[in-house]
Amino acid sequence: MEIYLVRHTTPDIAKGICYGQSNIPLAKGYQQELARTATLLPEHIDVCYTSPLLRCKALATELSDEIHVDKRLLELNFGTWELSAWDDIPADQLSPWMADYINTPPPKGETYQQLADRIGTFWTELVATSADTVLIVSHAGAMRAILAQLLHLDLADSFKLQLDYGSVTKIKADGDQTTLCYTNKT
């Protein structure tokens, strides 16, 4: 099985805003980024899985005829911080989270470990299918969680992995053997 992870293209939101599970559209002109990304994908895709958020689902519908929306592919839920400027989040809330975002959730949000757990469940089910070529359109947090699992990285170290907007990461899965072919190709 060949699996292509695609991070959504640039979203239409100002820099410095927290927007994990907020339904942000893609930036105007995303078609140029999409065209570049499409050249990195195979012509035939058996199945495409996507986050339900507009910035992923819009790309998935343009890249594949058959898409399956899966909530487990959502980005981190930042709870009450969603759509706040990072600089406006009170230090007494932000500091404990920054010190241990793996196990500490934002108010009414989720931990990075919770995200990794739901992604792990999705991944286990995916590699048990019989599809030959799979496309996953998702978010940097979800993709890093997949890569951390595959590379046996501590979750905190997964943020060392750069994943640009519109980038493609290729993985081959064959039974118990999983190979990372490349990451962050643009």
Side-chain angles (χ1 to χ4, degrees):
M1 172 184 302
E2 290 186 346
I3 303 163
Y4 295 85
L5 304 176
V6 172
R7 182 178 182 198
H8 61 79
T9 57
T10 305
D12 188 19
I13 192 165
K15 290 186 179 192
I17 304 296
C18 178
Y19 63 93
Q21 289 189 7
S22 296
N23 209 12
I24 307 299
L26 295 170
K28 290 175 179 61
Y30 78 89
Q31 293 87 352
Q32 288 179 324
E33 284 181 282
L34 171 62
R36 183 192 71 227
T37 299
T39 65
L40 303 172
L41 298 173
E43 283 187 35
H44 176 76
I45 295 168
D46 292 320
V47 62
C48 174
Y49 296 94
T50 183
S51 160
L53 297 180
L54 183 59
R55 59 190 184 266
C56 293
K57 195 174 174 185
L59 291 180
T61 58
E62 293 198 41
L63 292 170
S64 179
D65 294 331
E66 181 185 346
I67 66 166
H68 298 275
V69 175
D70 196 310
K71 290 181 179 182
R72 294 173 294 181
L73 294 171
L74 283 165
E75 182 59 279
L76 188 75
N77 180 351
F78 285 102
T80 61
W81 297 351
E82 291 280 339
L83 299 178
S84 297
W86 284 103
D87 291 343
D88 292 343
I89 298 170
D92 65 331
Q93 291 180 19
L94 189 60
S95 293
W97 180 78
M98 292 291 287
D100 185 14
Y101 57 87
I102 305 297
N103 301 300
T104 303
K108 298 185 181 179
E110 71 180 329
T111 67
Y112 190 42
Q113 183 63 59
Q114 289 171 313
L115 177 149
D117 291 344
R118 67 176 152 82
I119 289 296
T121 302
F122 168 82
W123 186 260
T124 299
E125 290 176 17
L126 173 68
V127 297
T129 68
S130 60
D132 288 326
T133 308
V134 176
L135 175 64
I136 299 171
V137 182
S138 193
H139 310 272
M143 291 171 63
R144 285 185 177 111
I146 289 171
L147 293 171
Q149 179 180 337
L150 295 179
L151 299 172
H152 306 287
L153 291 176
D154 185 84
L155 282 175
D157 291 333
S158 70
F159 281 86
K160 295 176 183 174
L161 300 168
Q162 183 170 333
L163 295 169
D164 297 325
Y165 292 123
S167 68
V168 177
T169 296
K170 181 180 177 183
I171 299 165
K172 283 190 179 182
D174 185 16
D176 292 337
Q177 180 76 19
T178 304
T179 305
L180 177 60
C181 301
Y182 55 79
T183 186
N184 200 44
K185 197 171 202 179
T186 55

